Amino acid sequence: MAATPVWSVDPRTGKQREPVAVEATPEDVDRAVRAAHAARGSLADAAVRARFLRTAAGLLDEAGPLVVETADAETALGPGRLSGELARTTGQLRAFADAVEEGSYLDVRIDRADPTLSPPRPELRRYKVPLGVVAVYAASNFPLAFSVPGGDTASALAAGCPVVVKAHPDHPAASELCASLLRRAAVACGLPAELVALVHGFDAGLELVRHPLVAAAGFTGSLRGGRALFDAAAARPVPIPFHGELGSLNPVVVTPAAAAERAEEIGAGLAGSVTLGVGQFCVKPGLVLVPDGPDGDRLTGALAKSLAETGPGVLLDHRMRDGFLAGVRERAALPGVTAPVTPGPHGEHAVGAGFLSVPAAALLADGAHEVLLEECFGPVTVVVRYADPREAAGVLGRLGGNLSATLQLSHAETEGAPGPAAALIAQVTGLAGRIVVNGWPTGVAVAPAQHHGGPYPAATAHSTSVGGTAIERWLRPVAYQSVPDALLPPELREANPLGVPRRVTGAG
């Protein structure tokens, strides 16, 4: 049977650019996973891992112009956006190198033996060890930061886990280029190139999550695709952790006081957030609660003006374009829904931004408007006009889990005594993994305190895919009881030769 070619496609024209690979067979996936598994011991030395991550970052920076050109040719995201994404990606690799050297991610805990307790406590020493081969499923909308060299790969390698990446079909050429740079970095550090493998094809993705030597998986993508892989991971004879980010509505609540204070500013800021990256950010605000009345009208007027002035953009592929246009049509046809600025096609390949509006009462009346509470991927948002706080709370009560929730508050609400604003924060804290006040959710800082995840269906686990604690997904704890010092891992020995941070309980 002939191999199926994998083509790089220009979304600006819909035309095939070049064949860059072939879809992996089950045998190809098996070889890649087994080679990665065999190479996992080479990542045992933390200093070598840190050097590998920094070398990879350096090679990506050196190849930056080519990486950006290649990614832009098959995503249409633009050199400016992609240059920023590359900087984020290499910065992420270096941040994990720092974390590996610092060592607190190992969460070393030591309980001294204490025979005076009842019952007596033995000597216990605990830290975390890598899980093994990690399957990484690349995202469509971030061809660098959430793809082959992105956060899942960086954090897994930092934890000491080899990776096998399933490339996204929207940017196969960029994926091949970045994978080759990561493998070059491994070899330059005296490590096997097989620590980073790349496979293509839908069937290869299923084979990967089912492979008995794959120990965990990371996914960024759609609810439908992520849930199918999550179910496959759970249905294995030995289930594995599946850390999936599956999409989000990212609700925004504008209080009446905030609308009165700065309606035009909020409307313009909302337009910028909705259209950033042609609306293809996983934290795009997709549902915005705006108060009824003149202040809310000023806000939506500013939103309409800014959206109308925004030029058309090209989505990542024509399948997504078709899905976006169909989703807008379905929502716009619902009773009570209006389209002050209608999102729609521009020529054969581009789309224009817009927004839909619906009264909260209509949304709460029955289940006919349920689709408005689902993500529509692309440059559109749904403005829900509410008459009073009870209606706003009722809409929020209909939502599932989200990656983010944003509150637009007045100066008095942020500076005064706790009141309705505090109650709003409490409510949205139950809905989302990140709460934003007087900002916008698009733009997820790579920082130790960041959390990019949320209750289901935003994510399949209570972990983060961005920030320093993302490394925890690929580790498991092990406790050593009454083990002689000479037989302990170096991180747990009494002399602490590696200088790892530790928490110690009991007398020495």
Side-chain angles (χ1 to χ4, degrees), residues 383-446:
V383 172
V384 180
R385 301 297 298 269
Y386 67 92
D388 56 53
R390 288 178 299 176
E391 280 193 343
V395 173
L396 292 174
R398 297 274 299 274
L399 303 183
N402 286 270
L403 295 171
S404 73
T406 298
L407 303 181
Q408 295 292 338
L409 307 177
S410 69
H411 177 76
E413 288 171 319
T414 61
E415 297 294 328
L424 263 179
I425 287 181
Q427 183 174 16
V428 298
T429 295
L431 296 176
R434 179 167 57 106
I435 313 303
V436 180
V437 171
N438 290 349
W440 299 104
T442 40
V444 182
V446 179

Side-chain angles (χ1 to χ4, degrees), residues 3 16 109 133 135 197 200 230 262 266 409 438 464 482 507:
Q16 293 178 331
R109 299 168 185 252
V133 178
H200 298 263
F230 174 74
R262 48 193 177 86
I266 294 172
L409 307 177
N438 290 349
T464 179
S482 304

Side-chain angles (χ1 to χ4, degrees), residues 272-303:
S273 188
V274 168
T275 58
L276 189 64
V278 201
Q280 297 172 115
F281 277 43
C282 50
V283 286
K284 178 202 75 176
L287 185 87
V288 188
L289 286 153
V290 173
D292 282 336
D295 295 326
D297 293 344
R298 287 194 296 120
L299 189 157
T300 57
L303 172 64

Side-chain angles (χ1 to χ4, degrees), residues 142-156:
F142 282 85
L144 305 174
F146 285 85
S147 186
V148 175
D152 285 350
T153 295
S155 57

Side-chain angles (χ1 to χ4, degrees), residues 157-176:
L157 292 172
C161 297
V163 296
V164 179
V165 183
K166 190 274 179 187
H168 196 280
D170 279 350
H171 38 80
S175 297
E176 286 286 342

Side-chain angles (χ1 to χ4, degrees), residues 255-335:
T255 66
E261 186 175 271
R262 48 193 177 86
E264 289 81 8
E265 176 188 336
I266 294 172
L270 174 60
S273 188
V274 168
T275 58
L276 189 64
V278 201
Q280 297 172 115
F281 277 43
C282 50
V283 286
K284 178 202 75 176
L287 185 87
V288 188
L289 286 153
V290 173
D292 282 336
D295 295 326
D297 293 344
R298 287 194 296 120
L299 189 157
T300 57
L303 172 64
K305 180 176 183 294
S306 294
L307 289 175
E309 293 171 351
T310 302
V314 176
L315 297 182
L316 291 161
D317 62 37
H318 280 61
R319 177 182 57 83
M320 291 185 187
R321 181 179 184 271
D322 292 343
F324 168 71
L325 297 174
V328 169
R329 285 195 300 269
E330 179 184 10
R331 289 160 173 80
L334 293 171

Side-chain angles (χ1 to χ4, degrees), residues 53-54 56-61 67-68 71 81-97 142-155 178 181-182 444 446 466:
L53 293 169
R54 290 198 181 96
L59 289 176
L60 284 162
D61 281 338
V67 171
V68 167
R81 150 68 196 275
L82 290 166
S83 294
E85 186 180 335
L86 178 60
R88 170 200 174 101
T89 302
T90 57
Q92 194 166 235
L93 286 161
R94 294 185 175 100
F96 278 116
F142 282 85
L144 305 174
F146 285 85
S147 186
V148 175
D152 285 350
T153 295
S155 57
C178 290
L181 292 169
L182 293 180
V444 182
V446 179
V466 178

